[in-house]
Amino acid sequence: MIDKNQVRQVFDQYVSAYHVDDPKIRLKIDHTYRVAELCQRIATPAGADDLDLAWLCGMLHDIGRFEQVKRYNTFVDAQSVDHAQFGADLLFQEGLIDRFSLSLPSEDLRVLEQAIRCHSAYRLPEGLSDRERIYCSILRDADKVDIFRVNCDTPPEQIYNVTTEALKTSAVSEAVKECFYNRTAVLRSLKVTAIDYLVAHLCLTFELVYPVSREIAREQGYVDRLLAFSSDNPDTQAWFAYMRSHIW
Ligand SMILES: [Fe+2]
């Protein structure tokens, strides 16, 4: 049994020690609550046996973000720490999990830890149990689905740290197009131009594991809004038209 109100309360109390009025912190808090709801929604069609455990994975998945930005003043993992591993370390090695007073079987705690650790990895590690794999996949899907919303609600210049001019005029790299053709995520090292970042985010739709996650992403409409991007570069404009007719 997971006391969801208790979890919400402890979470709110934990984040209140950070700058909750800072829009970037607020964004992570809202993202957390949305991902938790999405996890719960995806759980049943994904074949999970415990909706509350799926919800909990969502509630705690980005707990490392707050300490990351406090210590390193950035959300960029490459310039600081892997926020997923960092969050799992805070919870399970430094005892943060105890604050939530959960009385979960050790097997559930392992699932929770694994899901948090792997949520932003490019690929899941080998050797996960079937149950771990399911909860990991639910969380990864839920996180991606909400990333589409975040990317619509935040100016792309801010997310990708590029100028409007670069975004409007740049061309899509061949290697990034190749990922779209292969219907796969784009490795960080392949992103070169400003617009590559947006295309890479769109490629996340290919990584959604469960059909229900694709349905939710489609129904929310954020992917279509990102696809409506209008470029001043004719090649990029044509590429977006191609993506619009092939993404789903
Ligand atoms: Fe995350």
Side-chain angles (χ1 to χ4, degrees):
M1 274 292 287
I2 293 166
D3 182 343
K4 291 166 82 175
N5 277 331
Q6 160 87 1
V7 172
R8 283 191 200 99
Q9 254 176 39
V10 177
F11 177 82
D12 289 345
Q13 198 181 9
Y14 175 76
V15 298
S16 69
Y18 299 86
H19 298 282
V20 284
D21 298 330
D22 177 341
K24 287 197 304 211
I25 298 275
R26 195 68 249 167
L27 190 132
K28 294 296 176 199
I29 297 171
D30 294 343
H31 171 68
T32 292
Y33 277 101
R34 283 171 190 269
V35 170
E37 291 307 315
L38 285 164
C39 283
Q40 189 173 296
R41 194 170 157 194
I42 297 168
T44 304
D49 55 2
D50 187 340
L51 299 194
D52 288 352
L53 181 59
W55 177 86
L56 185 62
C57 291
M59 277 308 294
L60 300 183
H61 84 286
D62 260 354
I63 200 89
R65 284 301 196 185
F66 306 98
E67 202 50 34
Q68 177 187 36
V69 80
K70 185 179 172 188
R71 290 193 200 174
Y72 304 96
N73 199 30
T74 179
F75 286 130
V76 181
D77 286 10
Q79 292 167 12
S80 54
V81 279
D82 177 327
H83 77 277
Q85 296 285 358
F86 184 54
D89 288 347
L90 290 176
L91 287 165
F92 297 98
Q93 286 173 13
E94 296 183 29
L96 179 57
I97 194 74
D98 299 339
R99 287 205 213 172
F100 291 87
S101 320
L102 299 159
S103 47
L104 289 178
S106 56
E107 148 80 13
D108 286 6
L109 287 172
R110 260 200 308 279
V111 167
L112 178 64
E113 177 173 356
Q114 210 52 261
I116 294 169
R117 279 199 189 281
C118 305
H119 84 264
S120 66
Y122 181 64
R123 291 283 176 260
L124 285 176
E126 299 286 316
L128 294 177
S129 68
D130 288 349
R131 192 160 180 257
E132 285 168 344
R133 186 163 288 277
I134 288 177
Y135 285 87
C136 285
S137 302
I138 291 169
L139 176 56
R140 288 159 64 87
D141 271 17
D143 195 22
K144 289 185 181 82
V145 168
D146 197 59
I147 282 172
F148 299 129
R149 177 191 63 84
V150 170
N151 284 11
C152 275
D153 290 352
T154 314
E157 291 87 346
Q158 203 175 306
I159 311 175
Y160 310 130
N161 200 16
V162 295
T163 64
T164 307
E165 148 116 60
L167 197 65
K168 291 293 255 183
T169 58
S170 55
V172 182
S173 302
E174 284 309 314
V176 172
K177 287 186 180 176
E178 206 57 43
C179 294
F180 188 93
Y181 292 134
N182 294 332
R183 304 182 81 78
T184 178
V186 180
L187 273 172
R188 191 176 292 149
S189 57
L190 297 177
K191 298 176 223 171
V192 179
T193 70
I195 198 69
D196 283 347
Y197 287 87
L198 178 53
V199 176
H201 265 132
L202 287 163
C203 284
L204 289 179
T205 52
F206 302 135
E207 298 290 325
L208 295 171
V209 174
Y210 301 109
V212 64
S213 310
R214 288 177 69 82
E215 279 162 33
I216 297 170
R218 216 176 162 173
E219 154 202 314
Q220 290 191 339
Y222 296 115
V223 174
D224 290 332
R225 273 169 57 187
L226 293 171
L227 280 167
F229 177 81
S230 168
S231 176
D232 294 338
N233 177 318
D235 290 342
T236 303
Q237 189 64 6
W239 172 254
F240 269 73
Y242 174 82
M243 288 197 296
R244 283 192 285 275
S245 53
H246 288 85
I247 201 159
W248 300 115

